[in-house]
Amino acid sequence: MIREYQTKDLDTIMSIWLKGNQQAHPFIDSQFFENNFELVKMLIPASTIFVQDIDGVRGFIGLMDNYISGLFVDEQYRRQHVGQALIAKAKQLHNQLNVLVYKQNTQAIAFYQSQGFQVVDQSLNEETNEPELLMTCTVNHTIKIGKCAL
């Protein structure tokens, strides 16, 4: 079940965030994520967060308007459609979604492409000095009722 974030989820979310970043970004010193841990923990409530909760939080997506500020899945639940379900929830809420992905994170790029995202720009992350790709997805919200489409 996908549900809205609750305060009790914070420690689990932060654990998934830290481990996920360290695993997905071996090209960045893990100390970078450890140094930003408290800042991210403080900023989590500023985002709209949804969690995949099936006998515990398995993953989460953070949204700031139509920008995906984070999408992380617990390591033991990856490749089980958790990320796909969280993207689907975000698509229900927005006509367009944007995300920045490190260029070296080829698995994330492939995942977002499989969800309909396209690379539209490239920049350099000033904090890590690593190239990132801006990816975007336009969502078509067509509602079908019988033979009519709204």
Side-chain angles (χ1 to χ4, degrees), residues 136-149:
T136 190
C137 176
T138 302
V139 182
N140 182 4
H141 288 279
T142 302
I143 301 170
K144 293 182 180 181
I145 302 172
K147 294 184 179 181
C148 301

Side-chain angles (χ1 to χ4, degrees), residues 30 80 85 111 122:
S30 66
Q80 297 179 27
F111 167 76
Q122 181 174 320

Side-chain angles (χ1 to χ4, degrees), residues 74-111:
D74 186 299
E75 182 178 21
Q76 63 184 348
Y77 298 108
R78 292 182 193 150
R79 303 197 194 309
Q80 297 179 27
H81 306 290
V82 173
Q84 184 177 350
L86 291 164
I87 290 288
K89 178 64 176 180
K91 286 180 176 181
Q92 290 174 356
L93 303 171
H94 298 282
N95 293 327
Q96 181 176 352
L97 293 169
N98 300 301
V99 65
L100 283 170
V101 180
Y102 285 110
K103 190 173 183 178
Q104 289 192 56
N105 190 349
T106 56
Q107 288 183 339
I109 294 166
F111 167 76

Side-chain angles (χ1 to χ4, degrees), residues 52-87:
Q52 172 70 284
D53 184 353
I54 302 173
D55 298 323
V57 174
R58 294 183 174 187
F60 72 95
I61 189 168
L63 299 167
M64 297 188 87
D65 296 320
N66 68 333
Y67 175 72
I68 299 172
S69 54
L71 173 64
F72 294 91
V73 176
D74 186 299
E75 182 178 21
Q76 63 184 348
Y77 298 108
R78 292 182 193 150
R79 303 197 194 309
Q80 297 179 27
H81 306 290
V82 173
Q84 184 177 350
L86 291 164
I87 290 288

Side-chain angles (χ1 to χ4, degrees), residues 9-137:
D9 302 324
L10 186 58
D11 288 338
T12 302
I13 282 174
M14 290 307 300
S15 176
I16 293 170
W17 176 85
L18 182 59
K19 289 176 188 170
N21 269 309
Q22 291 171 332
Q23 292 165 348
H25 309 114
F27 48 90
I28 297 174
D29 184 350
S30 66
Q31 193 67 44
F32 173 78
F33 301 109
E34 293 168 18
N35 291 343
N36 283 287
F37 185 89
E38 291 301 324
L39 175 63
V40 171
K41 188 174 183 177
M42 184 181 74
L43 293 175
I44 285 282
S47 292
T48 301
I49 306 286
F50 292 96
V51 300
Q52 172 70 284
D53 184 353
I54 302 173
D55 298 323
V57 174
R58 294 183 174 187
F60 72 95
I61 189 168
L63 299 167
M64 297 188 87
D65 296 320
N66 68 333
Y67 175 72
I68 299 172
S69 54
L71 173 64
F72 294 91
V73 176
D74 186 299
E75 182 178 21
Q76 63 184 348
Y77 298 108
R78 292 182 193 150
R79 303 197 194 309
Q80 297 179 27
H81 306 290
V82 173
Q84 184 177 350
L86 291 164
I87 290 288
K89 178 64 176 180
K91 286 180 176 181
Q92 290 174 356
L93 303 171
H94 298 282
N95 293 327
Q96 181 176 352
L97 293 169
N98 300 301
V99 65
L100 283 170
V101 180
Y102 285 110
K103 190 173 183 178
Q104 289 192 56
N105 190 349
T106 56
Q107 288 183 339
I109 294 166
F111 167 76
Y112 283 111
Q113 288 174 327
S114 76
Q115 300 305 303
F117 286 75
Q118 297 178 355
V119 175
V120 294
D121 199 10
Q122 181 174 320
S123 60
L124 191 67
N125 182 296
E126 293 179 10
E127 290 182 284
T128 61
N129 206 32
E130 287 289 332
E132 347 178 76
L133 303 176
L134 174 63
M135 301 182 76
T136 190
C137 176

